[in-house]
Amino acid sequence: MAKKRDGGGLSRTQQAAKFLGVSVLAGAVLAGLALPAAGALGLAAKGSVEGFDEIPANLKTPPLSQRTTILDADGGEIAKVYSRDRTVVGLKDMSPYIQKAIVAIEDARFYQHGAIDMKGILRAVNKNARSGGVSEGASTLTQQYVKNVFVEEAGNDADKVAQATQQTIGRKVKELKYAIQVEQELGKRKILQNYLNITFFGQQAYGVEAASQRYFSKHAKDLKLEEAALLAGIVQSPSRYDPVNSPKEATRRRNTVLQRMADLKDISQAQADAAAEKPIDLAVSRPKNGCITAVDGAGFFCDYIRKVFLGNKTFGKTRKARLKLWDQGGMTIRTTLDPQTQKSIQASVSKHVYDDDPVASAAAIVEPGTGRILGMGQSRPYGFGPNQTQLNLSVDENMGGGAGYQPGSTFKPVIAAAALEQGTSPYQQYSSPYRMPYPSPVQTCNGEWTGTESTQNENKREVGPYGMKEATAKSVNTYFVQLISDIGICPAVKMAQGMGIERADGRKLQEVPSMTLGVQEMSPLTMAAGYATFANGGQYCSPVAIESITGPRGKAMKVPQGSCRTAMSKRTADTINALLKGVVEDGTGKQAGLKGRDSAGKTGTSDDRYAAWFVGYTPNAAGAVWVGDPLHNRKMYNITIGGVPHEKVYGADTPGPIWRDAMTGALAGRPAPALPTVPINDPGKDKGDDGKGKGRDRPGRGHGGDDKPGDRWHLPGFPDILGGGDGGW
């Protein structure tokens, strides 16, 4: 007999049960008659049945969020990323046991009724009214599927999820109408397939394939009877029947499913009893979600892929649209990451700079001629723990990096290239005193710079005159200050822009003479791609990270393409090659030189040694290495890095060896073409050496490696020039 509330009548629970039953019946009847306007039912209140007749076009087969797999260039897995761990499969890839088990326990009359089970509704209303509670539901499997679609479309928005699951008459009627549409247009087998792909099985697993992998480390098509019954039992309450944390509850629920299957003749009683006797035998595969699971230090590159995707209009006109596409997942993204290069770069960085050192290191390698990013690593691992970070120290701020780091003298080749393009001879000499004020005024793009600042060389013995080759090898500050003052700041700015060298914080380059000394912050990836221009005959190619993407249904998606442009003439690039070969063969970068193959590069340190760099290249790879404090607080004096004590850190003695080891491993077993160069004679000046091989950034003898007796700088129609200062080129 039904319980009565105080004062007589039915209790609130009974009233609700009765009201729900009446509403469902009314909804079912009216839906079959092409439901009249919502207002006629008194259901037009806001939040009830707004948009009643606007059935979403994708409700039949909604795009379900799935895993996205990110691969390297060879097809090896870097990481799986997902908003919801799901792999959509067809019924043929699901064990018959799981199909029968889910129907048996969730909707035994699934194949006998339409979208709404009238017998089930009457039975549930009657039982709930007698019990005074809600002990039995009446939703069909189709209705549950529709509700899951609403939840799926709500994504990770808590408010939208609440709206999708709120217990209101309006939502229930909507659900009923959509269920009727789905039944008419999909049919039972497709509904069952969709349901098993969309529903939540606990432990972050959505859909039966992910659930099978999570709990049993096998495909859904290989599920045994007792395993299928276990999964089917979880659906009603994933937390209560979680077999990992509540094995007793899960076992009882599994056995209930088995008995239900026997009662329905899906299996024999003997099969049910035998399966019920078996203990739960799990082979749990822990969730591996996100870039934190990437191997060989590729977590930062993995995160860079996400930033590229969300920031490029190729994948959607708005960021919101791109984020939705990313969260839906189901993609296979093949990237440019070369596994050999990545392993080498990460091994080198980790060897030379420890994760608990007071400073950090980051490195990036790109391919000249294509811009393909081949490797990206850093000393502090990707993560949330001690000595870990999610800040990608190799890239610009808008791509997940910091505000950048002063590249120091690695910026000088940009000035040299600008000067050569303006007609300056590589034999141009300047007095290059130890200390000097910046010449003032100096022409800018839209006026002129004036000031009273001064600069000086690394040590007092660095006194000119110097030519361009020796000044580059020794990294003589005052030479390049005089050079930029002669050509003006604007050509240098335009050259930097042509080479893709921009500030890491996104601001415009400041048009000041001190730019020649690398005082404006850059990222390693920017510098690597910029130097690749020299290796590529003066053609700059923008960095590219994504090779191809296959969508959820196996269809190729459009991906952003890299672009190349001419930044300088081939002769200028080849001349810079000659200058920078001298740096690694007999200049400040000797410790970075490669054995058995041509290479070129430049060392750099910032003021007060907050940062040290080496940027260099071969014909088939260009890389940049930075060492410093990401917070710009720690000066690198009297410091131990990678177990090696330093009185002062130079670009040559820490970034240089990192670059050398990284490039050696990256290029092992690969062709070793020659760098094209323009021969440049060198007068062989040896000023500026302190007797210990420590000029600016530890120069060597100061002679360029290309010098041979009789070398001359000669252009058609011009006389031979030997050291002159008239800018005859």
Side-chain angles (χ1 to χ4, degrees):
M1 183 163 178
K3 295 179 182 178
K4 293 189 177 182
R5 62 174 181 166
D6 292 343
L10 296 176
S11 68
R12 290 183 179 178
T13 301
Q14 290 171 306
Q15 287 181 325
K18 184 176 180 180
F19 185 58
L20 177 59
V22 172
S23 297
V24 169
L25 290 172
V29 174
L30 292 173
L33 297 174
L35 282 165
L41 291 174
L43 299 172
K46 186 175 182 180
S48 59
V49 288
E50 286 184 352
F52 187 84
D53 293 317
E54 297 177 6
I55 299 176
N58 66 344
L59 184 64
K60 293 177 290 183
T61 53
L64 303 181
S65 59
Q66 303 181 62
R67 299 173 183 171
T68 284
T69 303
I70 300 176
L71 306 176
D72 62 31
D74 289 350
E77 183 176 312
I78 296 173
K80 282 186 170 67
V81 296
Y82 49 82
S83 172
R84 293 181 178 175
D85 187 9
R86 177 189 284 118
T87 300
V88 174
V89 295
L91 285 180
K92 64 182 178 60
D93 291 316
M94 301 178 192
S95 164
Y97 288 128
I98 188 62
Q99 298 177 44
K100 293 177 180 179
I102 203 74
V103 170
I105 198 64
E106 290 296 320
D107 186 2
R109 287 175 30 80
F110 176 63
Y111 293 105
Q112 283 74 53
H113 61 66
I116 303 157
D117 185 4
M118 302 303 295
K119 288 184 179 180
I121 290 170
L122 292 172
R123 182 182 64 250
V125 170
N126 186 46
K127 185 173 181 179
N128 292 338
R130 287 201 309 270
S131 68
V134 181
S135 60
E136 184 170 326
S139 290
T140 64
L141 199 119
T142 306
Q143 289 172 261
Q144 292 181 49
Y145 166 63
V146 169
K147 183 172 74 173
N148 274 313
V149 171
F150 294 156
V151 173
E152 181 73 19
E153 290 179 340
N156 297 319
D157 188 316
D159 291 336
K160 290 183 178 179
V161 171
Q163 292 173 18
T165 56
Q166 62 184 335
Q167 295 300 316
T168 64
I169 301 300
R171 189 197 65 78
K172 196 65 178 178
V173 173
K174 266 188 181 182
E175 180 184 292
L176 291 172
K177 183 171 184 180
Y178 293 154
I180 292 170
Q181 176 218 12
V182 167
E183 284 270 353
Q184 291 173 341
E185 300 189 15
L186 292 187
K188 294 293 187 180
R189 285 182 57 79
K190 187 66 173 178
I191 292 170
L192 178 60
Q193 175 182 297
N194 288 2
Y195 178 83
L196 282 167
N197 276 313
I198 199 172
T199 198
F200 181 51
F201 287 88
Q203 291 286 327
Q204 302 180 40
Y206 289 82
V208 69
E209 176 67 16
S212 184
Q213 294 285 356
R214 180 75 72 251
Y215 295 110
F216 303 111
S217 298
K218 62 170 61 175
H219 293 297
K221 66 181 179 180
D222 299 322
L223 287 170
K224 299 176 183 177
L225 170 59
E226 63 273 16
E227 295 168 340
L230 179 74
L231 294 186
I234 292 173
V235 172
Q236 185 183 80
S237 180
S239 58
R240 179 180 176 183
Y241 301 125
D242 180 351
V244 176
N245 298 308
S246 303
K248 290 183 179 180
E249 283 288 326
T251 301
R252 280 195 289 268
R253 178 66 175 169
R254 179 201 67 177
N255 294 346
T256 298
V257 175
L258 289 168
Q259 187 56 53
R260 184 63 172 155
M261 293 176 73
D263 293 343
L264 295 171
K265 308 301 181 184
D266 290 327
I267 58 175
S268 68
Q269 188 63 52
Q271 285 179 297
D273 293 342
E277 288 295 321
K278 296 180 180 180
I280 292 179
D281 184 17
L282 301 179
V284 177
S285 296
R286 296 295 177 186
K288 288 187 175 182
N289 179 24
C291 296
I292 198 170
T293 66
V295 298
D296 297 322
F300 299 99
F301 179 79
C302 170
D303 189 64
Y304 182 80
I305 293 296
R306 180 177 182 273
K307 295 292 195 305
V308 170
F309 191 98
L310 296 181
N312 197 293
K313 291 186 177 181
T314 301
F315 304 112
K317 292 183 179 180
T318 66
R319 182 178 176 83
K320 183 178 180 180
R322 297 189 291 271
L323 182 59
K324 183 177 181 181
L325 185 60
W326 179 266
D327 285 344
Q328 285 174 352
M331 298 175 286
T332 299
I333 302 176
R334 185 180 286 264
T335 71
T336 61
L337 194 76
D338 174 62
Q340 178 177 326
T341 300
Q342 180 61 29
K343 288 178 181 177
S344 181
I345 201 170
Q346 189 58 44
S348 181
V349 168
S350 300
K351 171 186 173 183
H352 291 282
V353 184
Y354 300 157
D355 60 6
D356 59 352
D357 279 346
V359 294
S361 179
I365 296 177
V366 303
E367 183 178 65
T370 65
R372 297 169 72 249
I373 301 173
L374 304 178
M376 183 183 291
Q378 61 191 57
S379 60
R380 293 180 182 172
Y382 187 94
F384 304 92
N387 305 318
Q388 296 180 340
T389 181
Q390 288 185 287
L391 193 68
N392 188 340
L393 304 175
S394 293
V395 302
D396 290 347
E397 190 172 28
N398 69 330
M399 296 302 289
Y405 323 98
Q406 292 182 342
S409 295
T410 62
F411 200 82
K412 287 173 181 172
V414 179
I415 308 303
L420 293 171
E421 284 289 287
Q422 294 297 303
T424 301
S425 166
Y427 294 105
Q428 173 69 52
Q429 287 192 344
Y430 290 108
S431 60
S432 312
Y434 163 63
R435 186 195 303 272
M436 65 173 287
Y438 287 104
S440 177
V442 181
Q443 192 68 33
T444 64
C445 292
N446 297 299
E448 60 183 22
W449 174 89
T450 58
T452 59
E453 291 87 349
S454 63
T455 189
Q456 63 187 44
N457 297 327
E458 177 70 12
N459 64 66
K460 292 183 179 180
R461 293 185 182 182
E462 276 183 359
V463 178
Y466 289 113
M468 189 179 290
K469 186 169 186 179
E470 189 178 14
T472 302
K474 291 188 173 183
S475 200
V476 180
N477 288 344
T478 55
Y479 179 93
F480 283 91
V481 166
Q482 290 177 291
L483 181 61
I484 196 172
S485 299
D486 265 6
I487 66 170
I489 296 170
C490 198
V493 170
K494 290 183 177 179
M495 177 58 67
Q497 291 171 340
M499 295 173 65
I501 296 179
E502 301 174 345
R503 291 174 59 113
D505 61 9
R507 295 163 56 192
K508 291 183 179 181
L509 289 169
Q510 295 177 337
E511 296 182 23
V512 292
S514 62
M515 73 181 299
T516 191
L517 305 183
V519 298
Q520 301 183 60
E521 290 81 2
M522 315 291 180
S523 70
L525 180 59
T526 290
M527 295 303 295
Y531 267 53
T533 306
F534 302 137
N536 191 40
Q539 291 281 315
Y540 166 76
C541 296
S542 60
V544 176
I546 298 174
E547 290 275 18
S548 64
I549 299 180
T550 302
R553 294 175 178 82
K555 185 178 179 180
M557 296 172 58
K558 186 178 179 181
V559 298
Q561 300 297 311
S563 60
C564 298
R565 60 176 178 260
T566 300
M568 66 192 74
S569 69
K570 186 178 186 302
R571 184 171 183 84
T572 292
D574 292 351
T575 304
I576 297 294
N577 292 345
L579 296 175
L580 297 186
K581 277 190 70 177
V583 172
V584 299
E585 291 176 351
D586 210 11
T588 64
K590 286 181 66 175
Q591 295 184 63
L594 302 179
K595 294 181 180 180
R597 65 175 67 240
D598 272 2
S599 62
K602 184 71 186 74
T603 56
T605 55
S606 68
D607 287 344
D608 293 318
R609 284 179 163 75
Y610 286 112
W613 290 73
F614 186 85
V615 187
Y617 55 94
T618 69
N620 41 10
V625 176
W626 158 87
V627 175
D629 179 5
L631 300 178
H632 304 275
N633 291 328
R634 181 67 158 90
K635 299 177 182 180
M636 289 188 290
Y637 293 98
N638 300 314
I639 189 173
T640 296
I641 302 174
V644 179
H646 300 267
E647 180 182 348
K648 296 178 181 179
V649 171
Y650 295 87
D653 64 17
T654 304
I658 295 174
W659 184 90
R660 178 197 64 217
D661 291 351
M663 294 289 279
T664 297
L667 297 173
R670 294 176 175 176
L675 274 172
T677 59
V678 172
I680 305 173
N681 195 12
D682 191 333
K685 286 181 61 64
D686 195 23
K687 295 182 180 181
D689 198 317
D690 62 3
K692 299 180 181 179
K694 293 185 180 180
R696 173 71 175 181
D697 279 329
R698 295 182 186 259
R701 297 196 323 261
H703 299 288
D706 292 307
D707 297 346
K708 296 183 179 69
D711 274 352
R712 284 287 200 276
W713 178 264
H714 180 74
L715 292 176
F718 285 81
D720 288 349
I721 301 170
L722 184 59
D726 59 1
W729 189 38

